[in-house]
Amino acid sequence: MSRTLILVKPDAFERALSGEVIARFERKGLRIVALKTMVAVEEIAHAHYAEHTEKPFFGELVEFLLRDNPVPPGSVLLTGTGLVPPDDFTLEPGHVVEIEVPGIGTLANPVVLATSLLERSTAHV
């Protein structure tokens, strides 16, 4: 069975099309076996566009993939009906959000300050 890597680029996130991009592949019969949210680093951009290295637009392609993404890597922000908790609900650093997924197990995410995520993500750039 073949595998491929799909990079959903910054403009798809900016235009709220990332879900549609992924859904198109699923509608073609492909299955997601892994999914990771990340901010591209220069090494990834160069590897992804390696076949264009000698072309005059290579630098512009790399810049496009590396442009600023205000969402820290590994985070998902959602909007919609019923997603906003009551006013007295708070998450503090040190809390853990747990979600039970039948057949998979419990997904647990520790709460950290957004600034610490940004510091970690910029340390890798």
Side-chain angles (χ1 to χ4, degrees), residues 95-116:
H95 288 172
V96 176
V97 176
E98 293 184 346
I99 302 169
E100 183 67 32
V101 181
I104 295 177
T106 302
L107 303 175
N109 289 302
V111 176
V112 296
L113 289 174
T115 54
S116 66

Side-chain angles (χ1 to χ4, degrees), residues 12-65:
F13 284 97
E14 291 165 6
R15 296 169 52 208
L17 295 173
S18 55
E20 176 58 26
V21 169
I22 294 168
R24 288 180 183 193
F25 289 101
E26 290 181 311
R27 285 194 295 269
K28 293 285 186 182
L30 299 173
R31 289 186 52 227
I32 297 172
V33 295
L35 180 67
K36 180 178 181 179
T37 303
M38 57 189 277
V39 175
V41 294
E42 197 164 336
E43 180 181 357
I44 291 171
H46 281 264
H48 183 66
Y49 292 125
E51 70 271 15
H52 302 299
T53 304
E54 301 303 319
K55 297 183 179 158
F57 54 83
F58 177 73
E60 193 175 329
L61 281 174
V62 170
E63 283 180 32
F64 176 77
L65 195 60

